[in-house]
Amino acid sequence: DTAVSQTPKYLVTQMGNDKSIKCEQNLGHDTMYWYKQDSKKFLKIMFSYNNKELIINETVPNRFSPKSPDKAHLNLHINSLELGDSAVYFCASSQDLAYNEQFFGPGTRLTVL
Amino acid sequence: TQLLEQSPQFLSIQEGENLTVYCNSSSVFSSLQWYRQEPGEGPVLLVTVVTGGEVKKLKRLTFQFGDARKDSSLHITAAQPGDTGLYLCAGRIYNQGGKLIFGQGTELSVKP
């Protein structure tokens, strides 16, 4: 009965590889987000989707491509991984764009070697 | 570029002490939220303040939103080891699709 789930929890890969992180929410929310948390614990928004439509694209390199097959899922695909992509990636959801509270997933720790 | 300056970044105190964490910005926010994050988990919302000057209490935690809606504080009274964690403030930007700007976080350690 997890509200926002992400897979995998840990991802270790080589530079240059392509990888995906999956996110699902069972809260019936309209809006979903991807955040990146760096080694200093700074959390920064990357993307948001509302009803499968891209709303925020926060100057993220185009190697990062979010995909929302339906309202309950927002996946993140990363091409040509670089060392600087190492971070914890969090998926979140909110009822809609106007609703304040965001519910976060447990995070995916990505390590690029 | 909107920035939210959070201080202090690290705080190590003894059980029973009081502490205050501050978030300051030159930007006006439609609301401000405080989250708490445990190791290996995502942030969890503690409170949302919306009105300038608003004060909210959550047991031993007191949250205040500045009159001009540019700053906020979190005060913990008689801290306990269970309060240990990362505290994050986040400001919501007007008309920007739910976008939250996060502060740098405060890592609080409360020693028994």
Side-chain angles (χ1 to χ4, degrees):
Chain A
D1 58 345
T2 305
V4 182
S5 59
Q6 295 177 229
T7 54
K9 176 77 171 168
Y10 300 95
L11 188 51
V12 181
T13 188
Q14 299 286 332
M15 255 192 328
N17 284 350
D18 303 339
K19 289 294 178 186
S20 292
I21 306 172
K22 295 188 175 183
C23 177
E24 176 181 1
Q25 54 95 2
N26 62 6
L27 298 166
H29 288 170
D30 286 346
T31 310
M32 296 184 73
Y33 311 81
W34 276 110
Y35 287 87
K36 179 180 180 181
Q37 188 171 48
D38 63 22
S39 58
K40 294 183 179 179
K41 305 292 176 66
F42 183 59
L43 200 57
K44 190 173 191 303
I45 190 164
M46 300 171 69
F47 302 101
S48 77
Y49 270 71
N50 188 63
N51 279 321
K52 303 195 298 175
E53 179 186 349
L54 179 66
I55 301 297
I56 294 173
N57 181 343
E58 198 65 10
T59 59
V60 176
N62 57 16
R63 297 182 296 103
F64 290 79
S65 52
K67 285 188 172 49
S68 183
D70 55 59
K71 274 187 358 177
H73 296 84
L74 181 62
N75 304 322
L76 184 64
H77 188 75
I78 316 169
N79 288 328
S80 304
L81 279 156
E82 299 177 358
L83 293 177
D85 297 332
S86 295
V88 182
Y89 292 84
F90 286 98
C91 177
S93 73
S94 63
Q95 187 174 311
D96 52 42
L97 288 173
Y99 197 74
N100 278 310
E101 181 173 7
Q102 295 186 16
F103 294 80
F104 285 79
T108 295
R109 181 174 291 278
L110 171 66
T111 303
V112 183
L113 303 174
Chain B
T1 304
Q2 300 100 344
L3 286 175
L4 198 49
E5 299 286 338
Q6 187 172 344
S7 62
Q9 274 192 273
F10 300 95
L11 196 51
S12 181
I13 60 172
Q14 293 296 128
E15 183 175 1
E17 291 183 16
N18 301 333
L19 66 114
T20 303
V21 179
Y22 299 93
C23 271
N24 296 289
S25 177
S26 57
S27 301
V28 177
F29 297 107
S30 61
S31 66
L32 197 133
Q33 301 174 11
W34 285 91
Y35 288 81
R36 182 176 163 201
Q37 185 178 5
E38 303 273 3
E41 297 179 12
V44 176
L45 182 70
L46 295 174
V47 78
T48 301
V49 284
V50 179
T51 307
E54 184 176 4
V55 176
K56 280 192 174 178
K57 288 182 188 280
L58 189 66
K59 297 183 182 177
R60 293 175 294 100
L61 279 59
T62 302
F63 305 86
Q64 184 158 10
F65 201 12
D67 291 341
R69 313 227 296 258
K70 295 182 179 181
D71 56 88
S72 181
S73 63
L74 157 61
H75 182 79
I76 302 180
T77 304
Q80 298 177 1
D83 295 327
T84 294
L86 177 69
Y87 290 83
L88 297 159
C89 62
R92 187 183 167 96
I93 307 295
Y94 282 101
N95 299 324
Q96 287 198 25
K99 179 177 174 179
L100 287 179
I101 302 294
F102 278 84
Q104 300 97 318
T106 296
E107 294 217 53
L108 173 64
S109 173
V110 183
K111 294 180 171 40

